[in-house]
């Protein structure tokens, strides 16, 4: 049985993961329309991964006799300036998500819910990886400047490897 406060904060996280998915989907569509095939593929995969994170939360809450609530989602922005500005926003968003996951850990400890505290560690590790992979992308963008985005777009296609595979 989940403590009420844990159930509540996990439900808030469902919203955040769902919004992350929609945000990256919107970025993917924007990048695709600008002709960045590699960038858009990376973002489409990322959107899918966030959806898996959301599902993981839904299934966990329900498995622990809680009620997972599927939220309505705010419309994400539709214009992202340029590729570098967009990836800066991705990193900022991932840092925000990492903060949310840490808050969940804090609530689990306060509520003596060591089962969820243990379960949520998967997300803690995932956030380290996600922030690191976006930082690597931003480093590359800083190195190439604005003049060689074509090469960058091809390069990013090979950057996902197995990191995009997420089990629900
Ligand atoms: Fe971008 O990560 Fe979900 O949790």
């Amino acid at each position: 049985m989940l403590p009420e406060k844990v159930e509540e904060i996990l439900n808030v996280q469902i919203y955040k993961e769902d919004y992350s998915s929609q945000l990256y989907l919107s970025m993917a569509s924007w990048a695709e329309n600008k002709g960045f095939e590699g960038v858009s593929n990376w973002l489409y995969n990322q959107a899918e991964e966030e959806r898996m994170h959301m599902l993981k939360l839904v299934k966990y809450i329900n498995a622990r006799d809680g009620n997972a609530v599927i939220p309505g989602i705010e419309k994400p922005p539709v214009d992202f300036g340029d590729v570098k500005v967009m990836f800066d926003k991705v990193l900022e968003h991932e840092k925000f998500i990492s903060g949310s996951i840490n808050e969940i850990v804090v609530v689990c400890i306060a509520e003596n819910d060591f089962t969820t505290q243990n379960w949520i560690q998967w997300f803690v590790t995932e956030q380290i990886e996600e922030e690191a992979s976006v930082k690597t992308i931003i480093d590359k963008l800083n190195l190439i400047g604005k003049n060689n985005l074509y090469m960058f777009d091809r390069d990013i296609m090979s950057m996902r490897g197995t990191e995009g595979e997420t089990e629900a």
Side-chain angles (χ1 to χ4, degrees):
M1 189 74 187
L2 282 175
E4 209 177 303
K5 284 187 179 158
V6 173
E7 182 176 344
E8 204 175 283
I9 198 165
L10 291 179
N11 267 306
V12 171
Q13 194 62 29
I14 287 179
Y15 176 89
K16 290 176 180 171
E17 299 293 342
D18 206 2
Y19 181 77
S20 303
S21 181
Q22 294 297 101
L23 175 65
Y24 296 152
L25 196 54
S26 183
M27 287 176 172
S29 175
W30 174 85
E32 190 166 50
N33 281 328
K34 298 271 176 215
F36 293 110
E37 193 187 349
V39 170
S40 71
N41 280 343
W42 190 93
L43 288 159
Y44 279 126
N45 283 333
Q46 199 63 27
E48 205 52 43
E49 203 169 301
E50 298 300 352
R51 186 174 157 74
M52 296 309 288
H53 295 170
M54 182 204 52
L55 285 173
K56 207 173 173 76
L57 284 151
V58 169
K59 290 182 177 181
Y60 179 76
I61 294 171
N62 289 339
R64 296 282 317 280
D65 270 345
N67 287 306
V69 180
I70 307 306
I73 295 295
E74 179 193 335
K75 185 182 171 195
V78 290
D79 190 1
F80 299 96
D82 65 37
V83 169
K84 169 70 170 60
V85 169
M86 188 193 69
F87 275 108
D88 285 341
K89 281 185 184 143
V90 173
L91 182 59
E92 192 186 316
H93 185 72
E94 286 304 322
K95 285 182 175 172
F96 164 73
I97 295 292
S98 300
S100 305
I101 301 293
N102 285 343
E103 280 170 35
I104 295 174
V105 175
V106 170
V107 172
C108 289
I109 293 169
E111 296 296 311
N112 290 335
D113 183 354
F114 303 115
T115 308
T116 307
Q117 189 206 345
N118 183 49
W119 178 81
I120 203 72
Q121 293 308 309
W122 183 90
F123 283 86
V124 172
T125 308
E126 177 72 6
Q127 282 312 116
I128 295 170
E129 284 168 17
E130 294 213 338
E131 281 191 33
S133 90
V134 180
K135 275 181 196 150
T136 303
I137 290 170
I138 291 172
D139 285 347
K140 279 176 184 270
L141 280 164
N142 284 335
L143 279 174
I144 64 166
K146 286 194 175 177
N147 296 329
N148 211 346
L149 279 173
Y150 175 73
M151 291 302 288
F152 167 80
D153 190 52
R154 286 178 50 180
D155 193 27
I156 194 175
M157 282 204 211
S158 60
M159 278 187 65
R160 286 207 73 91
T162 53
E163 94 199 20
E165 290 166 19
T166 312
E167 73 281 7

